[in-house]
Amino acid sequence: MEPERKRIAVVYATAQGSTRDIAEFIGAELTARGARVEVADVAHAPELSRFDAVVIGSAIHNRDFLPDAVSYIQEHRRQLAKSDVWMFSVGLGPALVGPIGRRIGRLVPTKIAALRDSIHPREYRPFAGHYERAGVDLFARAIYRTMGGARYGDLRDWAAIREWASDVAAELHLPEPKSSTIQP
Ligand SMILES: Cc1cc2nc3c(=O)[nH]c(=O)nc-3n(C[C@H](O)[C@H](O)[C@H](O)COP(=O)(O)O)c2cc1C
């Protein structure tokens, strides 16, 4: 008899779409590993008790998750804390370079650390997102440069995201894929 397929909810909050793309990519990778996956915005998140595991991610604005993600996690804290949860964020930290940039990039903003600690995820992983130079004023550009920000545009590292999704799949004992054909 075929083993029961694992059910995974991938829940995200996005302002400009790059976190949604990452959530959908993770969902597709986990589907390719045989899981039954539902990907949804936090505003349309499914009932979590129906799932064996939850992946939850948010864009970072002003060193915090987006307000929708903060309220969602606070409201579902009890359910999340007793579930197998993997958490990710999408911001600029992992894209910072140089000795200072790498140190800053490793810091988890206090409010995000508090959210993380309230639900005890199996892992929390920050990913680089999208930062358009055109929308950034001179002052913010100077701060970004000082912190080790050297690049603008789409800074997402799809190889790192794929590797993380594969680690999640392995921890959930999902079968190895027959071949990986999914492209972002
Ligand atoms: C108003 C605003 C504030 C931001 N604040 C932060 C921040 O504090 N830390 C960070 O790492 N990235 C910050 N970012 C960068 C975003 O998190 C990044 O661009 C991300 O890709 C956005 O995801 P989204 O496209 O899903 O909205 C900020 C972006 C904007 C537009």
Side-chain angles (χ1 to χ4, degrees):
M1 204 171 79
E2 286 273 311
E4 183 88 348
R5 289 165 69 198
K6 288 250 164 78
R7 292 158 306 170
I8 306 173
V10 182
V11 180
Y12 65 87
T14 186
Q16 288 162 326
S18 56
T19 306
R20 177 176 52 238
D21 297 343
I22 291 173
E24 284 172 355
F25 182 75
I26 292 169
E29 288 285 323
L30 296 173
T31 302
R33 294 287 296 265
R36 283 170 53 188
V37 180
E38 283 183 40
V39 182
D41 188 297
V42 283
H44 303 97
E47 169 53 45
L48 293 181
S49 57
R50 292 198 284 112
F51 295 87
D52 299 301
V54 181
V55 178
I56 184 159
S58 173
I60 302 178
H61 274 195
N62 307 319
R63 296 183 296 283
D64 198 359
F65 271 12
L66 294 179
D68 280 0
V70 174
S71 349
Y72 180 82
I73 290 172
Q74 287 169 346
E75 279 162 29
H76 296 85
R77 187 175 54 81
R78 280 170 198 278
Q79 177 73 45
L80 288 165
K82 64 180 186 195
S83 308
D84 273 336
V85 177
W86 278 263
M87 181 170 160
F88 69 92
S89 62
V90 182
L92 301 175
L96 301 177
V97 297
I100 295 174
R102 280 196 296 276
R103 268 172 68 182
I104 295 174
R106 277 198 293 273
L107 299 173
V108 181
T110 315
K111 288 178 180 169
I112 296 176
L115 275 182
R116 178 197 61 192
D117 296 346
S118 74
I119 59 169
H120 315 294
R122 300 266 298 257
E123 203 196 340
Y124 162 65
R125 172 64 64 90
F127 292 118
H130 200 127
Y131 199 45
E132 277 308 323
R133 188 187 174 93
V136 184
D137 64 35
L138 284 178
F139 182 64
R141 274 185 211 178
I143 293 175
Y144 182 52
R145 201 167 42 241
T146 309
M147 290 196 320
R151 292 182 300 136
Y152 287 88
D154 190 348
L155 307 170
R156 291 172 294 180
D157 179 347
W158 294 106
I161 298 163
R162 170 174 281 141
E163 201 176 311
W164 191 70
S166 174
D167 290 348
V168 172
E171 291 218 21
L172 286 167
H173 305 293
L174 301 182
E176 287 295 327
K178 291 189 178 66
S179 67
S180 180
T181 51
I182 297 153
Q183 298 297 330

